[in-house]
Amino acid sequence: MLAASTLLILATLAGYALLCSIRPFAICRTCSGTGLRDAHKGMKLCRRCRGTRYRLRAGRRLHNHAQRLHTEGTRTRPTTDKERLPWQ
């Protein structure tokens, strides 16, 4: 029973990761994809999607953050001739 539930959870996570890689943007839930929201004095741009009608999925946002963190952590610093040691 534990193996089946673990397999189901892993399959769900793999499916969500595949969805985030294929379609990173989803329709905004706040404005229902219109880009506008109701206000007291008329219509205004949606704050969540800023009028674009789409939002970045949470899984894709997590992937982008991890990728940026990896890139910044492994980036080599360019060296100049003054910083080099004499035997290099």
Side-chain angles (χ1 to χ4, degrees):
M1 187 69 178
L2 180 64
S5 61
T6 305
L7 185 63
L8 181 64
I9 290 171
L10 289 176
T12 303
L13 288 175
Y16 183 68
L18 183 65
L19 176 68
C20 287
S21 66
I22 294 173
R23 297 191 65 193
F25 292 97
I27 294 175
C28 179
R29 291 187 303 244
T30 303
C31 64
S32 301
T34 62
L36 301 171
R37 63 179 179 88
D38 290 330
H40 285 303
K41 298 178 183 178
M43 302 297 275
K44 290 188 176 183
L45 286 178
C46 178
R47 292 183 203 169
R48 184 173 187 171
C49 66
R50 298 181 188 109
T52 61
R53 303 181 326 172
Y54 296 102
R55 62 172 177 83
L56 196 60
R57 293 183 193 271
R60 186 58 183 214
R61 193 176 306 121
L62 181 66
H63 175 266
N64 289 349
H65 178 71
Q67 188 175 19
R68 189 178 312 116
L69 191 66
H70 173 73
T71 302
E72 290 174 359
T74 57
R75 186 176 298 157
T76 58
R77 195 179 84 193
T79 58
T80 61
D81 290 335
K82 293 179 182 178
E83 293 178 350
R84 292 184 185 216
L85 298 173
W87 58 82
Q88 288 182 333

